[in-house]
Structures are given as C-alpha cells and as structure tokens.
Amino acid sequence: MRPLEGITVVTLEHAIAAPFATRQLADLGARVIKVERPGVGDFARGYDERVRGLASHFVWINRSKESLALDIKHPEALDALKRLIADEADVVIQNLAPGAAARLGLSYESLSANKPGIIVCDISGYGDNGPYRDKKAYDLLIQSESGFLSVTGTEDEPCKAGPSIADIAAGMYAYTNILAALMDRQKTGRGQHLDISMLESLTEWTSYPLYYAFDGAAPPPRTGASHATIYPYGPFPAGDGKTVMFGLQNEREWSAFCDTVLLQPALSEEARFASNSRRSAGREELRQIIVDAFSSLTAEQVVERLDAANIANAQVNDMQAVWDHPQLKARNRWRQVETSAGAVPALLPPGSWKTGEPRMDPVPALGEHSAAILAQLGYTAEQVAEFKSTGVI
C-alpha cells in the first residue's frame, strides 16, 4: 500500500507549479482529480507537440491523475465541484489567477466552515497579500524578481535556468507543506491553509547569494558554467577540443589536484593560491595554468588523472546522453507510462521503495474521467448527457 492511498486531492491547476506538486502526491498513491476547462484544458497541454503530438511539460507532470472537464463559470459545474470537494476531498490545490478561487467560494475560510479537516493550498506568484498580490507571475519573471537572474549567466549577460525553476521550487514547497499538513491533521483533526509563493520559494533557493551579499557586500559575479565563489570548479577544455567538468572543495583536494592532475606539486604551496578565496580571486591566472596543462591531453586522459586524484568530475551531457545514461540504466530507473499517444518512457521518481513502486499511471486525456466522477457523486447518466450538451462538462 502506498503512503497516500485513501487521500483525495482536487486541484484547479495549470502550467507547472501546482501540477508538479500534485504529481508527487499521485506518485505516493493519492487520488488526484484535475479540474480543467472543457475543450481547452490546462493550457500547458498546448505548449508544444514534442511527445508524439503531446506537450512535453504536460506529459512530465500529469501522469496518474483523473481529468474532470468542468466549466466552473457555469453554476451547475461549480455546484458539482463543491459537491466533489465536500464528499471526497482531503486536499484542494489551486494556482488560478489571484483571488479567483475565493470569488468562486473555494477559499479555505469558505471550505473549512463545513469541512474543518480540509487542507487548502494556494500557489501564486507573490502570496495571498502584500502590494504584489495581484501581479501576474510566470516562471521567468520570478527568476528575475527573486534575483536569481542577477547571479546566473555570464559577465556580459544574465541567463535563465533551463527548467522552470521558480515553478518547481513552489511546487516542491507545496508538496512538502501538504505532507506536513496531513501529518498534523492526524494529530489534531484540523486542516490548514497553505499560502505558497513562487517568489518566496525561489528566494529561499537563492539564499546563499543573498548572504554572500549581506550587509551591502558585492554579490557573487556571473561566471557562466563555473562556480561563482569556489575555484577551480567548472568546465575546462582539453587538448582534443572536448570539455571536462570538475570541482575542488577543500585544501586536500587542491593539493592532490596540483600533484596528480597538473603534475605541479609546488603550485599547492604558492601563497597566491593558498586558499579558496585566493584561488577564486586569481581565477584568470589559475585557469590559464590549468588550460596549458590540459592542452597536451585528451579529455579521457584528464578524467583518468582526476579519478586517480579522487577529484569529482562529470561529463557535459546533452539530453540524448541523459536518455542513454548508463547509471540510470544500471539502476533500472526507467518505466513506461501510457498516454493517449501511446506509451512513453518516464523516470522513476527519486527514492527507493522496498515494498513496491510509486504509482505511475497514464497521463489523462482532457475530460477522460468526467462521466465516471460525476456518476460517483450521484449524477445520473441523463444529467451527465445534459451537462455535455450544455457545455457544463
């Protein structure tokens, strides 16, 4: 039995943040009912067509859910949604426009009045109050607002993170807070209102640069794929034109690097490189020493020396290399997940399950479960047919 079996989540979600949180809950066995607009659905369904005609984002974060297509602007649809929450829901999650859920009567205050154990999680760009409450917020905008962009990229230009890191951060904090709220409810019988802000989530993840710039100090510089404050730590070219990624963390590793990799043991004793702060300050000079030492070596030979010195290193993989990664294959981390376009591979969620695997059920088609869910709530086949004809579902 999976940990969250018996828990039902009703979610008014779109894009990434809320769907990412609810997919984690579904992985753990929760029943997740995804409420979508008829005919259109979650707008992430239309981001691209890269997975056999389906959107890459949507396939990634919407497996194991049930799709209920409801036009909640229609009174009968809203009544059905409230009945679903009253009868079935342990958790309600939403990342609609600011204030939209409250106007529909779906706030924690409204729902908990009749169901004290309900957990309501609101995910937004800036939170439920404050001067920014009503501002629209997308992932890249929060990367900018949180200061993340200011420390990411090159000296000449800031760069966004490749994945939707602000959405993912908010989704993970929603997920962990919901788990904590479920544990608290076991003790107290009471639900919770969870107010998850993308800005606060990504600012938390950016707290090391914040503290580095504490009390008016200069922030970490943008250094591309190199670490901003630890050196050497990043990509370096080998003599065959390939790139090797490696990093040092302490003085023992610096000494081993000079001795075994650079074959320049005396370098570790030089005052100009006698600490990480000095190496970071003198990174241009040190980089040239490393590049010169690597110029007569292939990337494979550099890695052999790094391994011999027990220096952490990695390949600079592209996406195809990750699909074929030998470590993921050796650990049997790939599974098949069904979609309306056929089965596709999916990475097993991180973690080790000795008593059974996480749930990895199909990615739902829009409205695939509408009739069954409404029937469960007591609506007759005739009523469901009428709902279809009038656009309720």
Side-chain angles (χ1 to χ4, degrees):
M1 182 174 178
R2 298 182 182 95
L4 294 186
E5 286 185 15
I7 297 295
T8 297
V9 178
V10 175
T11 177
L12 289 81
E13 61 181 26
H14 55 245
I16 310 302
F20 188 67
T22 57
R23 201 216 72 191
Q24 317 302 314
L25 298 169
D27 289 343
L28 295 179
R31 181 190 186 191
V32 176
I33 300 174
K34 181 183 180 80
V35 179
E36 303 187 71
R37 269 187 9 187
V40 178
D42 180 342
F43 55 72
R45 288 182 180 271
Y47 278 171
D48 57 60
E49 302 82 30
R50 303 290 293 199
V51 186
R52 299 177 184 163
L54 304 177
S56 52
H57 281 88
F58 194 86
V59 169
W60 164 43
I61 53 175
N62 284 287
R63 66 172 180 250
S64 304
K65 301 179 185 179
E66 300 172 40
S67 174
L68 170 60
L70 280 180
D71 181 1
I72 55 176
K73 293 181 180 179
H74 195 294
E76 290 182 285
L78 186 58
D79 286 345
L81 174 58
K82 290 180 177 179
R83 186 190 299 189
L84 174 64
I85 293 170
D87 290 358
E88 302 291 336
D90 297 281
V91 182
V92 173
I93 303 176
Q94 66 86 20
N95 67 334
L96 303 177
R103 289 192 295 272
L104 293 168
L106 301 176
S107 67
Y108 174 74
E109 289 73 21
S110 296
L111 296 177
S112 63
N114 297 315
K115 196 169 188 178
I118 195 75
I119 295 165
V120 176
C121 179
D122 298 327
I123 305 175
S124 62
Y126 297 100
D128 280 353
N129 55 17
Y132 281 40
R133 191 200 83 145
D134 295 326
K135 282 180 70 73
K136 280 191 172 182
Y138 302 134
D139 179 84
L140 178 54
L141 306 181
I142 297 298
Q143 289 192 37
S144 179
E145 193 74 46
S146 68
F148 180 90
L149 283 184
S150 74
V151 295
T152 306
T154 67
E155 182 179 358
D156 297 327
E157 185 178 15
C159 295
K160 70 178 290 292
S164 303
I165 189 170
D167 284 318
I168 294 168
M172 288 306 294
Y173 281 114
Y175 168 53
T176 55
N177 275 270
I178 289 166
L179 293 180
L182 288 168
M183 293 178 67
D184 185 72
R185 191 178 71 173
Q186 288 182 324
K187 300 175 184 177
T188 67
R190 297 191 305 269
Q192 295 279 347
H193 175 220
L194 306 174
D195 175 13
I196 306 295
S197 153
M198 292 168 64
L199 176 65
E200 291 158 17
S201 299
L202 193 55
T203 300
E204 165 65 17
W205 283 14
T206 314
S207 287
Y208 133 66
L210 271 176
Y211 280 116
Y212 192 87
F214 181 69
D215 206 16
R222 293 193 300 267
T223 53
S226 294
H227 198 287
T229 59
I230 303 174
Y231 202 81
Y233 190 168
F236 293 86
D240 59 359
K242 296 181 180 179
T243 298
V244 177
M245 182 78 74
F246 69 89
L248 310 182
Q249 291 283 327
N250 53 54
E251 298 311 301
R252 180 191 58 78
E253 291 184 347
W254 167 241
S255 178
F257 179 71
C258 294
D259 185 32
T260 304
V261 181
L262 298 182
L263 306 182
Q264 300 178 44
L267 191 65
S268 67
E269 304 299 326
E270 293 194 19
R272 58 182 171 155
F273 301 135
S275 67
N276 175 66
S277 296
R278 292 184 178 184
R279 291 191 292 273
S280 189
R283 65 175 56 209
E284 290 186 15
E285 185 179 6
L286 181 52
R287 176 179 172 79
Q288 193 58 54
I289 293 171
I290 295 170
V291 171
D292 289 345
F294 288 1
S295 63
S296 61
L297 303 173
T298 65
E300 184 177 357
Q301 289 171 324
V302 172
V303 169
E304 287 175 356
R305 291 190 184 185
L306 290 166
D307 286 341
N310 198 26
I311 301 297
N313 61 85
Q315 299 182 66
V316 184
N317 285 328
D318 61 15
M319 292 296 99
Q320 293 306 317
V322 177
W323 278 117
D324 296 326
H325 202 291
Q327 181 70 0
L328 297 175
K329 288 184 176 180
R331 283 171 54 81
N332 191 30
R333 301 308 294 181
W334 294 107
R335 298 292 184 271
Q336 292 289 309
V337 167
E338 293 295 331
T339 76
S340 58
V344 298
L347 186 69
L348 194 66
S352 179
W353 292 62
K354 300 300 184 184
T355 57
E357 293 197 349
R359 181 181 174 200
M360 297 184 74
D361 290 349
V363 178
L366 176 58
E368 180 179 346
H369 305 91
S370 298
I373 293 169
L374 291 172
Q376 179 186 347
L377 295 175
Y379 290 94
T380 66
E382 291 75 17
Q383 286 175 303
V384 172
E386 183 180 352
F387 285 168
K388 286 182 180 179
S389 68
T390 57
V392 172
I393 63 173

